[in-house]
Amino acid sequence: MIRWNNDYNHGAHPAILQAFADTNDSSYEGYGLDEWCRKAAGEIRKHLGGVDADIHFMLGGTQVNYTMIAAALRPYQGIICADSGHIQVHETGAVENTGHKIHVVPGVDGKITAAAVEKEAESYRTSDVPEHVTQPKMVFLSFPSEYGTIYTKEELSGISWVCREYGLYLMVDGARMGYGLGAEGNDVTLADIAAAADIFYIGGTKCGAMMGEAVVIVNEELKDHFRNYMKQNGGLLAKGWVLGLQFYTLFKDGTYFAITEQADRYAMQIRQAFAEKGIPSYIESPTNQQFVLLTEEQKEKLAKNHIFENQFWTEDGRFCVRFCTSWSTKEEEVETLLRDIREL
Amino acid sequence: MIRWNNDYNHGAHPAILQAFADTNDSSYEGYGLDEWCRKAAGEIRKHLGGVDADIHFMLGGTQVNYTMIAAALRPYQGIICADSGHIQVHETGAVENTGHKIHVVPGVDGKITAAAVEKEAESYRTSDVPEHVTQPKMVFLSFPSEYGTIYTKEELSGISWVCREYGLYLMVDGARMGYGLGAEGNDVTLADIAAAADIFYIGGTKCGAMMGEAVVIVNEELKDHFRNYMKQNGGLLAKGWVLGLQFYTLFKDGTYFAITEQADRYAMQIRQAFAEKGIPSYIESPTNQQFVLLTEEQKEKLAKNHIFENQFWTEDGRFCVRFCTSWSTKEEEVETLLRDIREL
Amino acid sequence: MIRWNNDYNHGAHPAILQAFADTNDSSYEGYGLDEWCRKAAGEIRKHLGGVDADIHFMLGGTQVNYTMIAAALRPYQGIICADSGHIQVHETGAVENTGHKIHVVPGVDGKITAAAVEKEAESYRTSDVPEHVTQPKMVFLSFPSEYGTIYTKEELSGISWVCREYGLYLMVDGARMGYGLGAEGNDVTLADIAAAADIFYIGGTKCGAMMGEAVVIVNEELKDHFRNYMKQNGGLLAKGWVLGLQFYTLFKDGTYFAITEQADRYAMQIRQAFAEKGIPSYIESPTNQQFVLLTEEQKEKLAKNHIFENQFWTEDGRFCVRFCTSWSTKEEEVETLLRDIREL
Amino acid sequence: MIRWNNDYNHGAHPAILQAFADTNDSSYEGYGLDEWCRKAAGEIRKHLGGVDADIHFMLGGTQVNYTMIAAALRPYQGIICADSGHIQVHETGAVENTGHKIHVVPGVDGKITAAAVEKEAESYRTSDVPEHVTQPKMVFLSFPSEYGTIYTKEELSGISWVCREYGLYLMVDGARMGYGLGAEGNDVTLADIAAAADIFYIGGTKCGAMMGEAVVIVNEELKDHFRNYMKQNGGLLAKGWVLGLQFYTLFKDGTYFAITEQADRYAMQIRQAFAEKGIPSYIESPTNQQFVLLTEEQKEKLAKNHIFENQFWTEDGRFCVRFCTSWSTKEEEVETLLRDIREL
């Protein structure tokens, strides 16, 4: 059985295991104050277009998201998020647990739009009763989105522009950042994200690391005492260097970008195979997550050799399922899947 | 100028002021452990159909709402609410500030529906990832609704039935309870609400008291340590007897019901006057809040003698405004408004 | 039976009831945006020594305290408080419920000291691990203290000086402010408190009002969006003018100061009577709260005509009890108590 | 330079790295629903004396501690902790950030006592104003303590007995569990802890794992929806199996116990060397953490070859410093330190 159900079902890129072995006899400072975290931050900064960012290493997207939000907002402020945003739908109310309201707006293809942000912000700006409502002060988006779609550079700068107009922080969840950057047709770079966002993170857990995410803080206002927020929220790890070491390993020679781009290419082959078979996508994703609509028969046939994730049933009786490639996907696995799709 | 902008712009029913004067030389136990709170609870219980309820006196709808929710829910649980519900739209994120997510569902005429509650609860029940989402555990509704509409006894019992099916608490915000009970065509009694709900409150602030609301806890599970929650949330008042005294005064002879019913009758006269003039209502409300759609000219004319509340602009350029009658509304004020409407 | 158990067992000063009666036919803007709140703020400002303060009206000391703290602190910051401070001992964890740690330091005679504040702040400043601890950012004190003692002007300015040295906000709980200001030997004025503190409140509930407290915000940083915090924490009352009216009534002619000073004088008579009888005070309080140590026999004798509050048992078998005078205390009540003390 | 500053400065036991390598081509279920977590739980359960515990894998002591507390307590409840307890002194207010008060009681040799717990619980039980205070509902202790001391079986059962008397949950922070269990003279087993505690964790991060802690829930009441709490608090990791795999590796053959016991033996050699030199310990610790009092000269000499952690200055001008051995300590490192101590 081959697992396509998600992009976090394998351990780590071999270079990471090698780095663990190479450093296992050495000792390091605790709590992220070590040389690997410094070197990893240095490698990441090379991609940020000269922005003077603070970089911290944490672990797990949910933790990163709510910690960034808790650090940025005052109790009467909230965060704008598309109805499909991860913080709204799949984090067990972690944001509300920190005391903040999510202002939910309709998404388009899994993405938030500048227009929706503007409407929500304008609604607050012109409110007759601003003391009776929460102030939207931050905008959440995922790059790529939870449905694998990506923002164009123009879309991103449009959202960023609205944020600056209304004094909103822009926060980017980059759990799958590599798969977004490596997508065919993508015109967004890490430097573009650093220019557009006030705070964002680059996911490692789903992109080749064993575990870990890199938080990048661009806006000075959000840098203050961030390590206290990390500690308070369980994210200042005693062995922080283990995270720094992984990011250094993935970034020092471009491995992070190469392995995720390869996963995207595999995903495009799979998408094409489904399309050639006349099997529709639920959404057109250029990244490693593919959402396709299968009949029950097709689903059962594929389930013989493959594990994939059920999303929901459509009204016409088909199943929306997710196939993920990842940095760990092997060519022979793709071949097997392509063959099985063709034989449907 | 006559104020119709809300139902909390006057002090208190004269009987309340008299009660203050009559008791001002007496002294009482603090924190609601006094004879007036006991007597007031006794009077209220007469209307609850024999339900063995705990009754507490607090002050202010927002405080009551979030305290009831904080007392009922565990951190991973949320509350289902219509998109027009007060806790969602006008309480500055007070519920989220206690750490809980609001599950927003579409309302119909300002009311939540049993079908919407069921859909949300069923969605959780059948979730593949129940650890990744909040558990809806409570349902919020206002009687009457924020738009002045009321639930029929059938609607209320339908919602209550779904709640019991899914193990949800039903909570009723009765800030304007009197106006709902006194509405023409209403078939719901306080006893019906006590039978349907697990916890609710009877508003005094907008219904003749100077200030104060009576919290009624029906479900045993929600009674535990409620006074601790009151204190922790700023709602256990040193001079609690001042609230008890007011509720005793309003309930001992039915004043609470009489004065709000009268306000509803005035509202019906106003509604009819608008209708006769061809001025449409935004929503058909049988209670003291009337939402009508005025042209700019009509609005300006009425604004010469009357103060009312702007709600929003409609797409065709009219203004949705709110006229509220209240327990303090005088016949001559109604006459003046009716005359001015007729002269539009 | 005469109640001396606390200073919140009577309704309101007669001038307040008169003000209620005088205004009951008038209507006012909601949520504290009315003329009475403005006029009351104006009267209070006359006592603030020219400080440009924001003034808001809320209700209940616990609510005021935690709202002020929630508005001032970021999640990683805490508040320094004496071990006898109200927020630490008698508010059901309301401060922690807003997410903040209380840094408890030893009090002296119920008061916090500049030295204790400095030690705690210095401990943080010199910490090797500032990310692993909360930052003390605010200091809490009550004037008068929970044991009725008062700070001298020198003590107050000493604490204030330390606060400024370390960038700490100073917050004063003035639930019984009038009794402190009116005490024999007191050399502190409201203007001194406004000069020393960043935020404080002047209690009405225990000082002649039916209910209500006036929040005075001196520091610009703490003024921002305070009304949102009030609303979110249940303290932005629909009928805010009822609070403003009471403060206007008490302040417009000095009633607030006169009635509390009179209560202090009565308390001194009671203290003297106990002293003449050889009954020791637990603590030397110059204000309306007197804590005396009674034998069981003395306690029982006094309990025949008087209600007072048990505090605790001493190790030598006596009872520490509290006798409070208040604005509502009558001369004949004092005479009766003095007589009964003399007859012990 | 040899690092003795803490027990988390090296990567992982070689068997862990081997396990990573062995499994890197395999794929697993996400979120801890995999075979390694199941197998690790099975190995751990063998040590629990037959208790039917739920076992979850999380990462980082702070996160584990506040998640366990958030899952156990209602908002009006608090946790009793010694003044030296980790949640009180070094977690940046994480517990208060979840809304709960810590009831601080004096510790003895870094340990909480049954008497102190009983006094605090009894104080609440006999309170005249139970609504005005938080209810102590849980007791926190670390095994071994933050100062390396250990509880005897009698002490532990004494505390547990008081907890049961008063309906308190007992929670044990086992960040350094192995070092406690392996200490010379220790008479406590994991089974004893499982019998005494309602919930505890077995630390991996400091005891040979790369990262990870095993949460053991004994009390049925605390098992409910724990995975939701994990997710909400950022502790339900996508690659949960990485944690399970490590615990399986350490527990399947007793490695966890062997490597920590060895570290304790090294610590005893170091302790003895200091003692022979007449250098006093700050506290008598039988585990891997040794706190000794050095003169400035001694400190400087040792600092030439060794890194250790400053704790504080004593009043007589000496330095309390911490030397930690760990699972990664090598015999030659110990020899070097012993030599340098002898040469002081």
Side-chain angles (χ1 to χ4, degrees):
Chain A
M1 296 291 279
I2 307 172
R3 278 186 209 268
W4 308 91
N5 56 331
N6 59 43
D7 35 22
Y8 41 85
N9 52 38
H10 274 74
H13 188 275
I16 301 270
L17 293 195
Q18 189 59 47
F20 287 164
D22 292 346
T23 59
N24 207 42
D25 273 345
S26 303
S27 69
Y28 299 102
E29 269 299 296
Y31 298 109
L33 301 172
D34 63 280
E35 65 196 74
W36 292 118
C37 286
R38 273 194 302 278
K39 290 171 78 171
E43 291 298 329
I44 291 171
R45 272 198 204 92
K46 292 179 184 171
H47 298 273
L48 302 182
V51 159
D52 176 30
D54 277 7
I55 297 180
H56 304 277
F57 299 95
M58 298 178 71
L59 197 160
T62 296
Q63 183 180 78
V64 173
N65 281 335
Y66 76 72
T67 301
M68 296 198 297
I69 293 167
L73 301 186
R74 306 296 310 229
Y76 63 88
Q77 297 174 329
I79 182 163
I80 304 175
C81 174
D83 47 17
S84 53
H86 204 254
I87 57 170
Q88 166 65 6
V89 299
H90 276 138
E91 297 189 353
T92 322
V95 171
E96 289 88 352
N97 190 46
T98 70
H100 299 288
K101 183 184 265 298
I102 300 176
H103 294 239
V104 182
V105 298
V108 175
D109 290 341
K111 299 189 285 181
I112 202 168
T113 63
V117 171
E118 182 163 27
K119 187 177 170 192
E120 188 71 14
E122 180 68 13
S123 166
Y124 177 76
R125 199 183 65 76
T126 57
S127 171
D128 288 334
V129 288
E131 297 113 351
H132 296 245
V133 294
T134 43
Q135 179 190 36
K137 181 67 184 168
M138 201 169 198
V139 171
F140 172 93
L141 66 83
S142 297
F143 184 89
S145 81
E146 291 76 6
Y147 281 113
T149 51
I150 54 173
Y151 293 79
T152 64
K153 189 169 171 176
E154 191 180 344
E155 288 171 333
L156 197 61
S157 66
I159 293 168
S160 181
W161 188 87
V162 171
C163 287
R164 274 145 221 230
E165 276 288 295
Y166 285 93
L168 309 173
Y169 300 126
L170 178 57
M171 153 182 177
V172 176
D173 176 338
R176 295 184 170 94
M177 182 69 84
Y179 302 114
L181 297 174
E184 197 183 314
N186 170 54
D187 66 351
V188 170
T189 65
L190 266 188
D192 294 330
I193 286 176
D198 295 280
I199 190 168
F200 66 100
Y201 82 87
I202 303 169
T205 300
K206 298 174 179 174
C207 299
M210 178 163 280
M211 285 184 183
E213 340 296 332
V215 173
V216 181
I217 312 182
V218 176
N219 188 322
E220 284 300 319
E221 294 171 21
L222 303 183
K223 294 177 179 177
D224 185 46
H225 281 89
F226 194 78
R227 281 169 55 84
N228 286 59
Y229 288 107
M230 289 168 67
K231 178 65 181 170
Q232 184 172 66
N233 289 292
L236 189 65
L237 298 185
K239 291 185 183 168
W241 87 83
V242 173
L243 307 181
L245 175 62
Q246 293 177 74
F247 271 89
Y248 174 74
T249 303
L250 291 175
F251 270 76
K252 73 174 195 290
D253 58 3
T255 297
Y256 184 84
F257 303 100
I259 61 180
T260 45
E261 190 177 336
Q262 176 61 54
D264 285 341
R265 278 195 295 268
Y266 287 146
M268 292 308 94
Q269 293 181 260
I270 294 166
R271 180 168 82 162
Q272 191 180 343
F274 278 120
E276 288 171 356
K277 204 67 189 180
I279 291 171
S281 290
Y282 170 68
I283 201 162
E284 287 308 318
S285 156
T287 64
N288 75 312
Q289 298 183 83
Q290 295 298 315
F291 298 84
V292 291
L293 299 170
L294 301 181
T295 63
E296 185 151 10
E297 191 192 344
Q298 290 166 338
K299 182 166 166 274
E300 282 180 13
K301 278 190 181 167
L302 285 174
K304 283 178 192 153
N305 293 323
H306 307 278
I307 296 171
F308 41 90
E309 195 176 273
N310 285 316
Q311 300 290 309
F312 55 83
W313 290 264
T314 63
E315 297 196 359
D316 64 351
R318 283 185 297 180
F319 296 84
C320 178
V321 303
R322 181 175 77 161
F323 284 84
C324 289
T325 61
S326 85
W327 58 273
S328 68
T329 301
K330 291 184 183 61
E331 189 162 5
E332 58 266 32
E333 294 172 332
V334 178
E335 292 303 331
T336 305
L337 178 56
L338 294 178
R339 183 202 65 200
D340 291 346
I341 292 171
R342 288 177 193 128
E343 292 179 0
L344 283 176
Chain B
M1 296 292 278
I2 308 171
R3 279 186 207 266
W4 308 93
N5 57 330
N6 60 44
D7 36 20
Y8 42 84
N9 52 35
H10 274 74
H13 188 274
I16 301 268
L17 293 195
Q18 188 59 48
F20 287 165
D22 291 347
T23 59
N24 207 43
D25 273 347
S26 302
S27 69
Y28 299 102
E29 269 299 297
Y31 297 108
L33 301 172
D34 62 279
E35 65 195 74
W36 293 119
C37 286
R38 276 195 299 279
K39 290 171 78 171
E43 292 298 327
I44 291 170
R45 272 196 204 92
K46 291 179 185 171
H47 298 273
L48 302 183
V51 160
D52 177 29
D54 277 6
I55 296 178
H56 304 278
F57 298 95
M58 298 178 71
L59 197 161
T62 297
Q63 183 180 78
V64 172
N65 281 336
Y66 76 72
T67 302
M68 296 198 298
I69 293 166
L73 301 185
R74 306 296 310 227
Y76 64 87
Q77 297 175 329
I79 181 162
I80 305 174
C81 174
D83 47 17
S84 53
H86 203 255
I87 57 170
Q88 166 66 5
V89 297
H90 277 138
E91 298 189 354
T92 322
V95 170
E96 289 88 352
N97 189 45
T98 70
H100 299 290
K101 185 186 263 298
I102 301 177
H103 295 237
V104 181
V105 298
V108 176
D109 291 339
K111 299 188 286 181
I112 202 167
T113 63
V117 171
E118 183 163 28
K119 187 176 170 192
E120 187 72 15
E122 180 68 14
S123 166
Y124 177 78
R125 199 184 65 77
T126 57
S127 172
D128 287 335
V129 287
E131 298 113 349
H132 296 245
V133 294
T134 43
Q135 179 190 37
K137 182 63 184 172
M138 200 168 198
V139 172
F140 173 92
L141 66 84
S142 297
F143 185 89
S145 82
E146 291 75 7
Y147 282 113
T149 51
I150 54 174
Y151 293 79
T152 64
K153 189 169 172 176
E154 191 178 343
E155 287 172 333
L156 196 62
S157 66
I159 293 168
S160 180
W161 187 86
V162 171
C163 287
R164 274 145 220 231
E165 277 289 294
Y166 285 93
L168 309 174
Y169 300 125
L170 178 57
M171 153 181 176
V172 176
D173 176 337
R176 297 185 169 93
M177 183 68 85
Y179 303 114
L181 298 174
E184 198 184 311
N186 170 54
D187 67 349
V188 169
T189 64
L190 266 188
D192 294 331
I193 287 174
D198 295 280
I199 189 166
F200 66 100
Y201 82 87
I202 302 169
T205 300
K206 298 175 179 172
C207 299
M210 178 163 280
M211 286 184 182
E213 340 296 331
V215 174
V216 181
I217 312 181
V218 176
N219 187 322
E220 283 300 319
E221 293 172 22
L222 303 184
K223 293 177 179 177
D224 184 46
H225 282 87
F226 194 79
R227 282 169 55 84
N228 287 58
Y229 288 108
M230 289 170 66
K231 177 65 182 169
Q232 183 172 67
N233 289 291
L236 190 64
L237 298 185
K239 292 186 182 168
W241 86 84
V242 173
L243 306 181
L245 175 63
Q246 294 177 73
F247 271 90
Y248 175 73
T249 302
L250 292 175
F251 269 77
K252 73 175 196 290
D253 58 4
T255 297
Y256 184 84
F257 303 99
I259 61 180
T260 44
E261 189 177 337
Q262 177 58 54
D264 285 342
R265 278 195 295 268
Y266 286 145
M268 293 306 96
Q269 292 180 259
I270 294 165
R271 178 168 83 162
Q272 193 180 341
F274 277 119
E276 288 172 357
K277 203 68 189 177
I279 293 172
S281 289
Y282 170 68
I283 200 164
E284 288 305 317
S285 156
T287 64
N288 74 312
Q289 298 183 85
Q290 295 298 316
F291 298 83
V292 290
L293 299 170
L294 301 181
T295 63
E296 185 152 10
E297 190 193 344
Q298 291 166 339
K299 182 165 165 277
E300 281 179 14
K301 278 190 183 167
L302 285 175
K304 283 178 192 155
N305 294 323
H306 307 278
I307 297 171
F308 42 88
E309 195 175 273
N310 285 316
Q311 301 289 307
F312 56 83
W313 289 264
T314 63
E315 297 195 359
D316 63 352
R318 282 186 298 181
F319 296 83
C320 179
V321 302
R322 181 176 76 162
F323 284 82
C324 289
T325 61
S326 85
W327 59 274
S328 69
T329 302
K330 291 186 183 60
E331 187 162 7
E332 56 268 30
E333 294 172 331
V334 177
E335 291 304 331
T336 304
L337 178 56
L338 295 179
R339 183 204 62 200
D340 291 345
I341 293 170
R342 287 174 194 131
E343 291 180 1
L344 284 175
Chain C
M1 296 293 277
I2 307 171
R3 279 187 208 267
W4 308 92
N5 56 331
N6 60 43
D7 37 20
Y8 41 84
N9 53 37
H10 274 75
H13 189 275
I16 301 270
L17 293 196
Q18 188 59 48
F20 288 165
D22 292 346
T23 58
N24 207 42
D25 273 346
S26 302
S27 70
Y28 299 102
E29 269 298 296
Y31 297 108
L33 301 172
D34 62 279
E35 65 195 73
W36 292 117
C37 287
R38 275 194 300 279
K39 290 171 79 171
E43 292 297 328
I44 291 170
R45 273 197 204 93
K46 292 178 185 171
H47 298 273
L48 302 182
V51 160
D52 177 30
D54 277 8
I55 297 179
H56 303 279
F57 299 96
M58 298 179 70
L59 197 161
T62 297
Q63 184 180 77
V64 172
N65 281 336
Y66 76 71
T67 301
M68 295 198 299
I69 293 167
L73 301 185
R74 307 295 310 227
Y76 64 88
Q77 299 176 327
I79 181 162
I80 305 174
C81 174
D83 47 17
S84 53
H86 204 253
I87 57 170
Q88 166 65 6
V89 298
H90 276 139
E91 297 189 353
T92 322
V95 170
E96 290 88 352
N97 190 46
T98 70
H100 300 288
K101 183 185 264 297
I102 300 176
H103 294 239
V104 182
V105 298
V108 175
D109 291 340
K111 298 189 286 183
I112 202 167
T113 63
V117 172
E118 182 163 27
K119 188 177 169 191
E120 187 72 15
E122 181 67 14
S123 166
Y124 176 77
R125 199 184 64 78
T126 58
S127 172
D128 288 335
V129 288
E131 297 112 351
H132 296 245
V133 294
T134 43
Q135 179 191 38
K137 182 65 184 170
M138 201 169 198
V139 171
F140 173 92
L141 67 83
S142 297
F143 185 88
S145 80
E146 291 75 7
Y147 281 113
T149 51
I150 54 174
Y151 293 78
T152 64
K153 189 168 171 177
E154 192 180 341
E155 288 171 332
L156 198 62
S157 65
I159 294 168
S160 180
W161 187 87
V162 171
C163 287
R164 274 146 221 229
E165 275 289 295
Y166 285 92
L168 309 173
Y169 300 126
L170 178 57
M171 152 180 176
V172 177
D173 176 336
R176 295 183 171 94
M177 183 68 84
Y179 302 114
L181 297 174
E184 198 183 312
N186 170 54
D187 67 349
V188 170
T189 64
L190 266 187
D192 294 331
I193 287 176
D198 295 280
I199 190 167
F200 65 100
Y201 82 88
I202 302 169
T205 301
K206 297 173 180 174
C207 299
M210 178 163 279
M211 286 183 181
E213 340 296 332
V215 174
V216 181
I217 312 181
V218 177
N219 187 322
E220 283 300 319
E221 293 171 23
L222 304 183
K223 293 177 178 177
D224 185 46
H225 282 87
F226 194 78
R227 282 169 54 84
N228 286 61
Y229 288 107
M230 290 169 65
K231 178 64 182 171
Q232 183 172 66
N233 289 291
L236 188 66
L237 298 185
K239 291 184 182 171
W241 87 84
V242 172
L243 306 181
L245 176 63
Q246 293 177 74
F247 271 90
Y248 175 73
T249 302
L250 291 176
F251 269 75
K252 74 174 194 291
D253 57 3
T255 297
Y256 184 84
F257 304 99
I259 60 181
T260 46
E261 190 178 334
Q262 177 58 55
D264 285 342
R265 277 195 295 268
Y266 286 145
M268 293 308 95
Q269 293 181 259
I270 294 165
R271 180 167 82 162
Q272 192 180 341
F274 277 121
E276 286 171 358
K277 204 67 189 178
I279 293 171
S281 290
Y282 170 69
I283 200 162
E284 288 307 317
S285 156
T287 63
N288 74 313
Q289 298 184 83
Q290 295 299 315
F291 298 84
V292 291
L293 299 169
L294 302 180
T295 63
E296 183 152 13
E297 192 192 344
Q298 290 166 340
K299 182 166 165 274
E300 282 180 12
K301 278 190 182 166
L302 285 175
K304 282 177 191 153
N305 294 324
H306 307 278
I307 297 171
F308 42 89
E309 194 175 273
N310 286 315
Q311 301 288 307
F312 55 84
W313 289 262
T314 64
E315 296 196 358
D316 63 352
R318 282 186 296 181
F319 296 83
C320 179
V321 303
R322 181 176 75 162
F323 283 83
C324 290
T325 61
S326 84
W327 60 273
S328 69
T329 301
K330 290 186 184 61
E331 187 161 6
E332 57 266 31
E333 295 172 331
V334 178
E335 291 304 330
T336 304
L337 178 56
L338 295 178
R339 185 202 62 202
D340 291 346
I341 292 170
R342 288 176 193 131
E343 291 179 0
L344 283 174
Chain D
M1 298 291 278
I2 308 171
R3 278 185 209 268
W4 307 92
N5 57 331
N6 60 43
D7 36 19
Y8 41 84
N9 52 36
H10 274 75
H13 189 275
I16 300 270
L17 293 195
Q18 189 59 48
F20 287 165
D22 292 347
T23 58
N24 207 42
D25 273 347
S26 302
S27 69
Y28 299 103
E29 268 299 297
Y31 298 108
L33 301 173
D34 62 280
E35 66 195 73
W36 293 117
C37 286
R38 274 194 301 279
K39 290 171 80 171
E43 292 298 329
I44 291 170
R45 271 197 205 92
K46 291 178 184 170
H47 298 273
L48 302 182
V51 159
D52 175 29
D54 278 6
I55 297 178
H56 304 277
F57 298 96
M58 298 178 72
L59 196 160
T62 297
Q63 183 179 78
V64 172
N65 281 336
Y66 76 72
T67 302
M68 295 199 298
I69 293 167
L73 301 186
R74 306 297 310 227
Y76 64 89
Q77 298 175 329
I79 181 162
I80 304 175
C81 174
D83 46 18
S84 52
H86 203 256
I87 57 169
Q88 167 65 8
V89 299
H90 276 139
E91 297 189 354
T92 322
V95 171
E96 290 87 353
N97 189 46
T98 70
H100 299 289
K101 184 185 264 298
I102 300 176
H103 294 239
V104 181
V105 299
V108 176
D109 291 341
K111 299 188 286 182
I112 202 167
T113 63
V117 171
E118 181 162 28
K119 187 176 169 193
E120 186 72 15
E122 180 68 13
S123 167
Y124 177 77
R125 199 184 64 76
T126 58
S127 171
D128 288 335
V129 287
E131 298 113 350
H132 297 245
V133 294
T134 43
Q135 180 191 37
K137 182 64 186 171
M138 200 167 199
V139 171
F140 173 92
L141 66 84
S142 296
F143 185 89
S145 81
E146 291 76 7
Y147 282 112
T149 52
I150 55 174
Y151 294 78
T152 64
K153 188 167 171 177
E154 193 179 341
E155 288 172 333
L156 197 62
S157 67
I159 293 168
S160 180
W161 187 87
V162 171
C163 287
R164 273 145 222 230
E165 276 290 293
Y166 286 92
L168 309 174
Y169 300 126
L170 178 57
M171 151 180 179
V172 176
D173 176 336
R176 296 184 169 93
M177 183 68 86
Y179 304 112
L181 298 174
E184 197 182 313
N186 169 55
D187 68 348
V188 170
T189 63
L190 266 188
D192 294 330
I193 286 175
D198 296 279
I199 188 166
F200 65 100
Y201 82 88
I202 302 169
T205 301
K206 298 174 180 175
C207 298
M210 178 163 280
M211 284 184 184
E213 339 297 330
V215 175
V216 181
I217 312 181
V218 177
N219 187 322
E220 283 299 319
E221 294 171 21
L222 303 183
K223 294 177 179 177
D224 185 45
H225 281 87
F226 194 78
R227 282 170 53 85
N228 287 58
Y229 288 107
M230 290 169 66
K231 177 65 182 169
Q232 184 173 64
N233 289 290
L236 189 65
L237 298 185
K239 292 185 182 168
W241 86 84
V242 172
L243 306 181
L245 175 63
Q246 293 177 73
F247 271 89
Y248 175 73
T249 303
L250 292 175
F251 270 76
K252 72 176 197 291
D253 57 4
T255 297
Y256 183 85
F257 304 100
I259 60 179
T260 45
E261 191 177 334
Q262 177 59 54
D264 285 340
R265 278 195 296 266
Y266 286 145
M268 292 307 95
Q269 294 180 259
I270 294 166
R271 179 167 82 160
Q272 193 179 342
F274 277 119
E276 287 172 357
K277 203 68 189 177
I279 292 171
S281 290
Y282 170 69
I283 201 164
E284 289 307 317
S285 157
T287 63
N288 75 313
Q289 298 183 85
Q290 295 299 314
F291 298 83
V292 291
L293 298 169
L294 301 181
T295 63
E296 184 152 11
E297 191 193 341
Q298 292 167 338
K299 181 165 165 276
E300 281 179 13
K301 280 190 181 167
L302 285 175
K304 283 178 192 153
N305 293 325
H306 307 278
I307 296 171
F308 42 90
E309 194 175 275
N310 286 315
Q311 300 290 307
F312 55 84
W313 290 264
T314 64
E315 297 196 359
D316 63 352
R318 283 186 296 181
F319 296 83
C320 179
V321 304
R322 182 175 75 161
F323 284 83
C324 289
T325 61
S326 84
W327 59 272
S328 69
T329 301
K330 291 185 182 61
E331 188 161 6
E332 56 267 31
E333 294 172 331
V334 177
E335 291 304 331
T336 304
L337 178 56
L338 294 178
R339 184 202 64 199
D340 291 346
I341 292 171
R342 286 175 195 131
E343 292 179 0
L344 282 176

